Amino acid sequence: ISLDLEQYVKSNSTTRGYWKCIVLCCVGVRKLSSTSGSYPLVCIVGGGPAGFYTAQHLLKSHPDIHVDIYERLPIPFGLVRFGVAPDHPEVKNVINTFTQTAQHKHCCFFGNVNIGRDVSVKELQEAYHAVVLSYGAEANRRLGIPGEDLLGVYSAKDFVGWYNGVPCNKDLQPDLSSDTAVILGQGNVALDVARMLLSPLDILKKTDVTQPSLEALAASHVHKVLIVGRRGPLQMACTIKELREMVNLPGTKPDMVTAEFEGIAEALKELPRPRKRLTELLLKAAQGSAGSAQATRQWGFRFLRSPVEIRPSSDVTRTAGIRLAVNRLEGSGENAQAVPTGEVEDLQCGLVINSIGYRSLPIDATVPFDPHKAVIPNTVGRVEQVAGLYCSGWVKRGPTGVIATTMNDSFDTARALLQDIEAGLLKLSTKKLGSKAIVTLLEKRGVNSVSFLEWEKINAEEVKRGGRAGKPREKLLDVEEMIKIAKT
């Protein structure tokens, strides 16, 4: 093209000739790009760990790929920001890696865009060669028992969202006026909640816990937390790190039922090493060798118990206690099943927190969804029967595992997508407009999207406000305020 233009310039030295040269140059470059094929345009729905890990692997593995991340909130990072306990700042360091991904020259972030409401999945498919659904699990798993909707009963998801600054949970105002709280479930989230309820205020003041929840926890009357599980000590779902933090929590001591540990010591030698270490620490706590005699707060596990009813107060408006079915185990090890014995046990409490898990929701009628498993049916991240559509994270496998689990899962999905590009299954020859098409739709629909650069303005404001109070940050809780700061 350049040689042809050079000859043309020599033979057309008029102004008209120069303009014609520019036109020819544009046509030539356009022709060159169209014949060489299009670079892959991929969009990811969900700006949490699954979305960012998927984007990270795609961008590192393919030099020409372009990735756009769409997030419902104006702020990125999902459960790293909203799910990790405030006193675990080291876990949030992964945000530095996600920031590098968002700042990659081939990556764009669009916050405050609700896929399924502002833009349909079908519209994304028309704009991109591939769409990856990584929007997580935003619904609670309900208990399905009488009294579940009484005042004083909360899901762990909402309770964690309240002290971690999820905008939709900022007005939760949990009732912390009773002495005893019962947490249903024995995973890491349950222990996070227990630790937040019992932690000394001096510890919490140095974290990014929101100011309204900090004030509520300072006024809390909760001094005892019981963590209830339907199976036994050998099936407890938390990790040793979380248990150790409970054992070492200042100002607290364990409160266990010795009878629930019969035969556990004898079973230790048959256990895999991680489970053995966890159980040894649990036994040590149960035997009373941990904790301070001067402790004013207590925590403890209750095993082989399942909730059957939240018992109401005399005016039938709020929680006064919980009735638990007493279970026995059939089988052994991780596969042991809890079977009701017919006996029940009543506990008095004014606060019940349901920590039995989360559920993903269908995002769009055009996307396959398994309502029983609450996941998108897929094979290694490829959505069944829909070419060019993928999923990663909790919506792919269910709400299990830690952040490292999500990383590996997301890398698997990214590899599947890259394999499909290599195999020619994504038809890169088809012209796609990517974010240009979506931004046009958003503008027509009055949606004010937030870029990553604009998020950094929100971030700076949070850090500034936190600095005044001696905290890492003070999270903004109002979406409209976030957008106002982002657009200033």
Side-chain angles (χ1 to χ4, degrees), residues 180-203:
T180 302
V182 170
I183 301 175
L184 302 172
Q186 295 178 333
N188 283 346
V189 174
L191 270 65
D192 282 346
V193 171
R195 204 173 59 254
M196 289 297 296
L197 286 169
L198 298 177
S199 284
L201 207 59
D202 287 344
I203 292 177

Side-chain angles (χ1 to χ4, degrees), residues 86-87 89 163 195-196 199-219 465-474:
D87 58 349
Y163 64 66
R195 204 173 59 254
M196 289 297 296
S199 284
L201 207 59
D202 287 344
I203 292 177
L204 296 181
K205 283 180 178 178
K206 299 174 184 177
T207 72
D208 64 0
V209 63
T210 65
Q211 189 60 31
S213 56
L214 183 63
E215 292 170 3
L217 290 166
R465 293 186 186 187
R468 295 176 191 148
K471 301 167 63 178
R473 71 175 60 242
E474 186 60 53

Side-chain angles (χ1 to χ4, degrees), residues 412-486:
D412 286 343
T413 293
R415 279 190 285 267
L417 195 159
L418 292 167
Q419 288 167 6
D420 290 351
I421 291 175
E422 186 69 23
L425 299 177
L426 295 188
K427 298 181 180 178
L428 300 186
S429 59
T430 303
K431 183 179 179 181
K432 300 282 187 174
L433 295 179
S435 61
K436 292 180 182 178
I438 302 304
V439 168
T440 300
L441 290 176
L442 294 175
E443 289 173 350
K444 288 180 180 178
R445 294 166 187 176
V447 178
N448 210 354
S449 66
V450 173
S451 70
F452 197 81
L453 194 61
E454 290 170 330
W455 141 250
E456 290 181 327
K457 293 182 184 180
I458 299 172
N459 179 54
E461 179 64 23
E462 290 185 341
V463 171
K464 183 173 76 173
R465 293 186 186 187
R468 295 176 191 148
K471 301 167 63 178
R473 71 175 60 242
E474 186 60 53
K475 292 176 181 175
L476 297 175
L477 304 178
D478 183 77
V479 169
E480 292 304 318
E481 185 182 10
M482 292 177 191
I483 294 173
K484 182 178 179 181
I485 291 170

Side-chain angles (χ1 to χ4, degrees), residues 177-386:
S177 62
S178 63
D179 178 77
T180 302
V182 170
I183 301 175
L184 302 172
Q186 295 178 333
N188 283 346
V189 174
L191 270 65
D192 282 346
V193 171
R195 204 173 59 254
M196 289 297 296
L197 286 169
L198 298 177
S199 284
L201 207 59
D202 287 344
I203 292 177
L204 296 181
K205 283 180 178 178
K206 299 174 184 177
T207 72
D208 64 0
V209 63
T210 65
Q211 189 60 31
S213 56
L214 183 63
E215 292 170 3
L217 290 166
S220 171
H221 292 169
V222 176
H223 288 85
K224 184 174 184 177
V225 177
L226 298 177
I227 308 162
V228 177
R230 60 188 173 85
R231 298 196 293 171
L234 296 180
Q235 290 81 35
M236 191 169 64
C238 68
T239 61
I240 191 169
K241 177 181 181 293
E242 298 281 343
L243 178 58
R244 188 180 293 115
E245 288 177 323
M246 287 303 305
V247 170
N248 296 328
L249 190 63
T252 70
K253 60 182 177 182
D255 171 29
M256 310 282 194
V257 177
T258 306
E260 294 183 351
F261 294 89
E262 290 180 3
I264 300 300
E266 291 75 16
L268 280 176
K269 60 182 180 181
E270 304 295 335
L271 299 177
R273 188 169 184 272
R275 173 64 68 178
K276 181 179 180 181
R277 292 176 62 232
L278 176 67
T279 308
E280 286 173 340
L281 181 58
L282 181 61
L283 280 172
K284 185 178 179 182
Q287 291 161 1
S289 57
S292 168
Q294 290 77 38
T296 58
R297 298 185 174 192
Q298 294 179 302
W299 60 272
F301 293 102
R302 294 295 183 268
F303 297 103
L304 297 171
R305 302 290 188 271
S306 297
V308 292
E309 180 187 359
I310 310 294
R311 310 205 72 187
S313 58
S314 57
D315 60 2
V316 200
T317 60
R318 53 164 292 108
T319 303
I322 185 169
R323 175 161 289 176
L324 303 170
V326 179
N327 302 327
R328 60 180 174 81
L329 288 183
E330 286 189 357
S332 61
E334 301 294 337
N335 296 319
Q337 298 296 313
V339 178
T341 63
E343 298 178 51
V344 295
E345 175 181 282
D346 290 341
L347 296 177
Q348 288 187 335
C349 62
L351 175 65
V352 175
I353 297 177
N354 164 19
S355 185
I356 63 171
Y358 304 84
R359 282 179 61 87
S360 294
L361 296 173
I363 191 171
D364 193 303
T366 63
V367 178
F369 190 79
D370 184 331
H372 178 67
K373 296 180 179 178
V375 297
I376 295 174
N378 68 93
T379 304
V380 199
R382 297 179 179 91
V383 176
E384 293 180 4
Q385 300 178 343
V386 187

